[in-house]
Every structure is written in structure tokens, then in C-alpha cells.
Amino acid sequence: MTPGLSCFHCGEPVPKGINLTVEIDHIKQPMCCIGCQSVAQTIVNAGAAAFYQQRTTTGLEFERLEALKPWADMLGEADWVERHVRPVSATDSLVETTLSIEGLRCGACAWLIEKALGQTPGVQLVRANASTERLMIQWNPATVSLAQIAQRISAIGYAVLPISSAPLEERRRQDDRTALRRLFVAGLSAAQIMMYAYPEYLEGDSLDNDIRTLMRTASMAITVPVMVYSATPFFDSARRAIAQGRLNMDVPVSLGLWIAFISSMWAWWTGTGEVYFDSVSMFVFLLLGGRWIERRVRAKASAQRERIATALPALAQRISAPAGIVPAWRLIPGDRICVKSGERIPADGLLESAETDIDASWINGESLPRRIQPGSRLPEGAINLGPEITMQVEVRVSEGTLARLSQLAEAAAADRPQWIEWADRLGARFTAAILIISVLLTLIFMMNGAATAVWLPALISVLVVTCPCALSLAGPTAYAAALAKLLERGVAVSNATSLERLLNVTDVVFDKTGTLTDPATSRVDMVFGTSPDQEIACNLAKSSTHPLALAISRLPQPASTEQSTMTQITQHAGLGISGRLRAGEVRLGSFHFANMHEASMHDSRHDACNVFLSIDGSIRAGFLITDTPRPDAQGLIQQLQQQGKRIWCASGDRRNRVDALAVALGLEQSHALAEQTPAMKQSFVAKRQSEGAIVAMIGDGHNDAPVLAQADVSIAMQGAAPLAQQKADIYCLTPGLGGVALAMDTARRSRIILRQNLGWAVLYNLVAIPFAAAGLITPLVASIGMAASSLLVVLNSSRLLR
């Protein structure tokens, strides 16, 4: 090996006789192998040489990159793409997926990946997150394939891995083991050193010199492993930050540790002065302990995201043609499948057989089984607790409930709230201020002729006690805990600003049908029509996700062949659903929609109906669906009203039915809007916003998509139509309105805990700095105080998990 020469890309020593270089910023930098040379040259050719000035860690070793390439090759396989790649929306050709990236360790890495992929034709959107080591990407498969994207990432020195792949899990376990070993070494050392330091604290100057020397020698020997092993993460982080010309919270930590250790070594060697071996080991142990708890909080959120992403069964039993066992991701809408008792439901669909119970606890935190009636929706991933059932698939797995939940969760984890960015900036400035204070304090002591035994402990105490760890941990830990709690209870947040905006909402607009009312308990009566008409209506309704259609689909019907002959089925947002039979066009929906040619005259029976069936323009049947308010609707509305929010209900239903629901739920009549088209709902929200209101919209149907996109915060309910899911900022998989209440409560608690964390961090430092500067706090007390402050912030944030 060439003495003292390291690879500029990966940091490994350059072997003897290797003379490979790459010109970076007009300087020829050494490379350890052809692989690193190729990667570095690719980065330079991409115009991303600034990566080497911004990075906080070295790149992935070329041997490791080559060993992981088979996993990247998997991304080109059709089966994997079909299972894990999902369309961005139903209206364009873009698709998206989320991947794990080995080697994505800092902000510069994320910047490099985003820049390199952003220059790739066909790539629409790239979001790389160093804290989660995840990459969310959208692209046009007609222009570029996922395998080509993976090759592009590999060319700049990163390995692409499927989520929960074996190498990723093994590295995570290895990181956990390493962190625990560092914590164990520091904790064991701190306990032992305190035993050796106790006699000196107890006896003081009266302690025999030989015993003092023996105790200090043992303390020194035990502290060395703490410095060279346990504290390595702090030193490496500080070194990288300084090399880039910036400051982070590990800079004062490292300075304090090294000053305390070197001065203690001098005092031990000369036999004069104080030693701080106990302070060093205790400080490292407590600081590592706080970061380990923070790590577990983040790991809990990450584990739930991965469990959702990989939870579905690999196979499904299809009973419709072509029948047989097929991969779950190959199911298409309309397929009929059977699910045995104890098996997971492989796709969103409607129950066709007798009622059953399901266990959805791992998805949304429900502690009790849920009874599902025939015609009701079955969520993918839930466990069938009843006998074998048959069901009809509604959407592809890649577009289903769990896919959307996983997509939102990954997007939220990759996002950073503004208050975290603010805390990071404040932490960096605070670190600079502490270093300046430390220098000034030392100069003042020296100018006044203070002895080393006076100013050195004060300097160490100031550097240690005022570390901005609590300030830097205050935001990220609270945010991670909030996301973990929500996801555990089946509520996914798409971006960091959603929770912030939710706190400032002034107006909450509810859709009526399926949101404030429960379609599962709605009563359906056919006011007029024949048995064949009812059968046709049921068959057509099964193709719709609208709550009223779901209610009609549960009506009893004899066996029929009409369902198989229904063609050209089309959803009409806010109006109804249409299809075609041999007899002509079939429409199911409002009176004006069904009576498209005004072929039917209005009669008194129509006034008693709210859903109509027409064939070839002629009204054939009318249905009355009696809404039942959700049990938790009135309580949520009262809670929001007590918080000073204005509550609205916007519905396409008739005035008398909307007014009746408003009375039942305690809404003002003027706040109950009836006969609203999707455009009218959107205009109403826009009008409220123009008047200064911050509007949250809660809905679940196709006709809610425009208004969900218009609102400041949008929430899609369980079983929402796919388009509504795509437009929503928050998606609730919990039944009823419990997810909405949970999201609002978590947002409120998050703000409270964040303010408590920041308030404590500021108050602690304002009190600690003067005491440390005056020499009233020893380094040991300073280390305990600082670590306890960080630990308090982490533990306070973890309360969100309860």
C-alpha cells in the first residue's frame, strides 16, 4: 500500500503500485482501483463534482458495489416490476416505486443521486432521503426502464436494493449490533471507572498517592477503549463536518472529549492536576444511550413501513377463468378469488359469499375482529377469520390500499418539516456560538492569570454541557414518533407539511355519503321496479366504489347471467355509473343522470327515491337508501366545534336528506350544502380560501377528487376511490372517522411535544452556560446534565408512540 495515501472516492488505502487518478476540480485525486476511478469519472462527467465537497462520508467500496449487483438485476425482472411498480395516476403514463439505496449516507449523496437521475431522459421525479436510505422515483417506462435507472445509480457508486432485501436486513442488523457493542463498552467502562474514582471523591487529598496513582491508571486503561471504539461515531462525524467547512453538534462533543482525555492523560503522567476519565466515559455512555433510543423510535416507523410494503401474500387462488394459483400482483379487477380461513386477503375487493370476520389489527390497530357483510369491501392484507370466502377483486395490487398507504408513508418519511429545517439551522448557529464562547472564556481566564486547574474544567464543562444535541433531536424525533404512531394505527401522511397545516385549519368540510354516514348500515328499499330490474342494478352497482352503489349491490338477487354480459362500464363522477346490455345503455344514479333523454315523466314515486335505474333512457326502477350517521360522527363534529373550527357538509344529495343529517349531527342548516356537483364543491372551498380560511376536506369518492386537490389539507377515508386516495394528503385505513380524529390529535400533540422539547433545550442551555462558565459545574456533572437533557427530549418525543 502507498503510505498515507487513501482513495479519494471510497477512503480505502491505495495499494502499492497503483497509480490511478481522476481530475476533480483541476486536481488529480488518487483512486484505489479501476472501479472507484470509473465511478468518480462518471460523477465528474455528470457535472456533479461538487458532491465531493458536500459529502460527509466516503463512497461505497467497489467490491461491495459489485457484490450487490445481482439484487439490482432483479429490478429488471417482469415479475418484480409487476408487483412493486405502480402507476402514478390513472390519467398518465408515469409509474413509480420506492427502493433502498446502499451507500446513501448523507445529504450530498442524496443530491448526487437526484442530480444524476434528473438528467436521465424519462425520469420525472426523484426524491432521495439519507436518513431513511430510500429513493422514491417516478418515470416513463416507455422511455427508460427500471433496470436502466438501476444501472445509472450503480454507475455513480450506489447499490440499488429492493425494500427488505437480505443485504439490507443484514446490514441493518450489523449496524444495530455495532451500536449496541459501543453502548455496552461505554456503559461497562463508566461503571468500572466510577468505582475507581469513588475513593478519590470520598477521601480527596488525604488519599494515599500510590493508591491514587493505581486508581487513575486503571481508569485510564478502561477509558482508552471508550475513546478509540465507543466514541468513534462522534469523532468521524465531527471530522467530516470540519473538512467541509461546517459545524454540527458532534464538533463540541469531540472537542470536549479530547480536551478532557488529553488533559487527564497529562495529569496521570505528571501526577498533578485532576483527571476526568469518569466524565469522559459517562458522557459517551449517556450520549450513546440517548441516540440508541432515538434509533429505536426511527426503526419502529421504518419497520411498519416495510411491513406494509411486503405484507401481501405472494399467491392467490383464482376461481374465475383462467382458474388456478397465480401471483397476487397479477390479479386484475373483476377476478374472482377464494381466501381460506387464516389466510391474508391478497387484494382489495368485494365479499361475494356469506359474512365473515377479518383481523385488520396489524394494518390499522383495530383490537377486535371486524364483521364484513356480503357486498362490503375487504381490505387487502387483512386476515380472514371465518370460513373460506369468495370475493371479487376491485383494483390491482399495485394500486390497492396497502400500495397507497406504503407510498404515502415513504413520501412522508422522505420529507422534512420546516420546523426541523429551522431547528437544524439554529443548532448549527448555536454550535458556532458555543465554540466562540469557549475561546473567549479561555482567553479571559488566561488574561486574568487563572491557573490551569481553574479554567480547564470550566472549558470542558462549557463544551460538554451546552452541546446542541437536545436542540437537534427535538424536531426529528417528534416527527418520526408521530409518523410511527399514525402508521401503526392505519393513518398515512403524504408529506411533512400536512400535519403542520392540519393544526392551522379553520374550516372542515365533510362529504356526506360514506364519510358522515355509514354505507354498511344503510337501509335500501326498491320503491318501484321489477325483480329483473333489481338484479341489473345490483350487477351494475358491483362495479362502483360509491357508498350508495355498495349498498345496492348487497340487495338479494337470484343467479343471473346479466353480470357477464354487462359491457362498457363507466364511472361518472358525481352522477352515477353506466354500462351496456343487449337491451341498450343502463344507467344507475341520480334522476337527471338516469333520465338522460327525458324519456320518463316525473311522477310522485320519484320523490321517494334517491337512486334510479334506467335502460336506454327510460326510468325502470327507483331505490330509497336511508342513511345512517356514523356512530363517531357527532362526537368528532362537537370536538372540532369546541376547538373553534367551522364545520361544513357538502353533498350531492337532496336538500331534505342533507338537512335531516345536519339536524342529527348538530350542524347549522346554513353549513349543510345540498345538491352539490364536484365543481360546486371545489368552487365553495376556493371561495372559503379566498376569504382567508384554511380548509380541510374529508371525503371518499370519485367526485371528491377535485375538491380534495383544492383543499389545504385533504383526508381520504377508508375504502376511498383510487382517485380520491391519490389526491389526499392523509389516508385513513381505520374504519369510521377515528383516523381523522387520530390525525388531528397527533398533530396537536406533536406541536405540544415539539414546543416542550425546544423550550427545554433553550431553558437548559440558558441556565447551564453561566454555571459552567463560572466553574460551578464539574465536567462529570456537565456530561450527566447534557446527556440527560438529550435523553429527556427523546423520551418526551417517544410519548407519541403510546
Side-chain angles (χ1 to χ4, degrees), residues 65 69 71-76 99 101 117 120 135 137 144-161:
L65 187 62
K69 272 192 175 180
W71 288 93
D73 295 339
M74 179 192 298
L75 305 183
L99 302 167
I101 303 296
L117 292 184
T120 304
L135 173 70
I137 182 168
V144 61
S145 68
L146 185 57
Q148 291 172 320
I149 293 172
Q151 292 170 2
R152 178 64 171 164
I153 296 173
S154 178
I156 58 174
Y158 299 92
V160 185
L161 299 170

Side-chain angles (χ1 to χ4, degrees), residues 19-265:
N19 187 27
L20 300 173
T21 61
V22 173
E23 186 172 327
I24 301 174
D25 292 335
H26 309 294
I27 299 175
K28 290 186 175 182
Q29 301 291 356
M31 300 289 152
C32 67
C33 64
I34 294 177
C36 285
Q37 183 188 43
S38 175
V39 170
Q41 191 63 59
T42 301
I43 292 173
V44 173
N45 293 342
F51 158 74
Y52 288 108
Q53 281 71 50
Q54 300 176 15
R55 65 177 178 174
T56 61
T57 183
T58 53
L60 195 64
E61 297 83 358
F62 186 70
E63 292 80 4
R64 175 68 173 167
L65 187 62
E66 287 292 306
L68 295 176
K69 272 192 175 180
W71 288 93
D73 295 339
M74 179 192 298
L75 305 183
E77 297 178 2
D79 281 352
W80 192 94
V81 171
E82 194 171 3
R83 182 178 184 182
H84 296 282
V85 175
R86 53 190 175 269
V88 174
S89 71
T91 58
D92 59 37
S93 58
L94 294 179
V95 295
E96 68 181 0
T97 193
T98 301
L99 302 167
S100 293
I101 303 296
E102 176 82 0
L104 176 54
R105 299 166 181 163
C106 66
C109 296
W111 173 84
L112 174 62
I113 293 172
E114 290 177 355
K115 182 175 179 65
L117 292 184
Q119 297 173 349
T120 304
V123 175
Q124 183 73 18
L125 177 66
V126 184
R127 287 182 181 174
N129 187 299
S131 62
T132 61
E133 298 181 346
R134 298 291 177 82
L135 173 70
M136 193 279 286
I137 182 168
Q138 295 179 358
W139 75 98
N140 187 338
T143 306
V144 61
S145 68
L146 185 57
Q148 291 172 320
I149 293 172
Q151 292 170 2
R152 178 64 171 164
I153 296 173
S154 178
I156 58 174
Y158 299 92
V160 185
L161 299 170
I163 293 177
S164 295
S165 58
L168 183 67
E169 291 299 319
E170 176 57 32
R171 185 180 60 80
R172 184 175 299 159
R173 286 192 294 267
Q174 181 61 39
D175 290 345
D176 286 344
R177 287 193 294 265
T178 300
L180 274 176
R181 282 196 293 265
R182 295 186 194 279
L183 180 62
F184 174 77
V185 169
L188 182 62
S189 299
Q192 292 296 318
I193 293 173
M194 288 303 297
M195 292 174 58
Y196 296 134
Y198 183 74
E200 189 168 352
Y201 283 126
L202 187 63
E203 300 293 335
D205 294 337
S206 63
L207 185 66
D208 183 78
N209 285 334
D210 292 338
I211 295 177
R212 177 182 288 108
T213 301
L214 178 63
M215 295 298 177
R216 289 186 172 187
T217 301
S219 298
M220 181 273 298
I222 295 174
T223 305
V224 169
V226 175
M227 292 294 292
V228 301
Y229 179 67
S230 295
T232 300
F234 309 134
F235 302 151
D236 289 344
S237 174
R239 174 178 54 78
R240 290 192 296 263
I242 294 173
Q244 296 171 16
R246 63 183 182 86
L247 297 173
N248 63 12
M249 63 182 179
D250 290 325
V251 172
V253 168
S254 300
L255 281 176
L257 287 173
W258 278 115
I259 291 174
F261 182 72
I262 292 174
S263 63
S264 297
M265 291 291 290

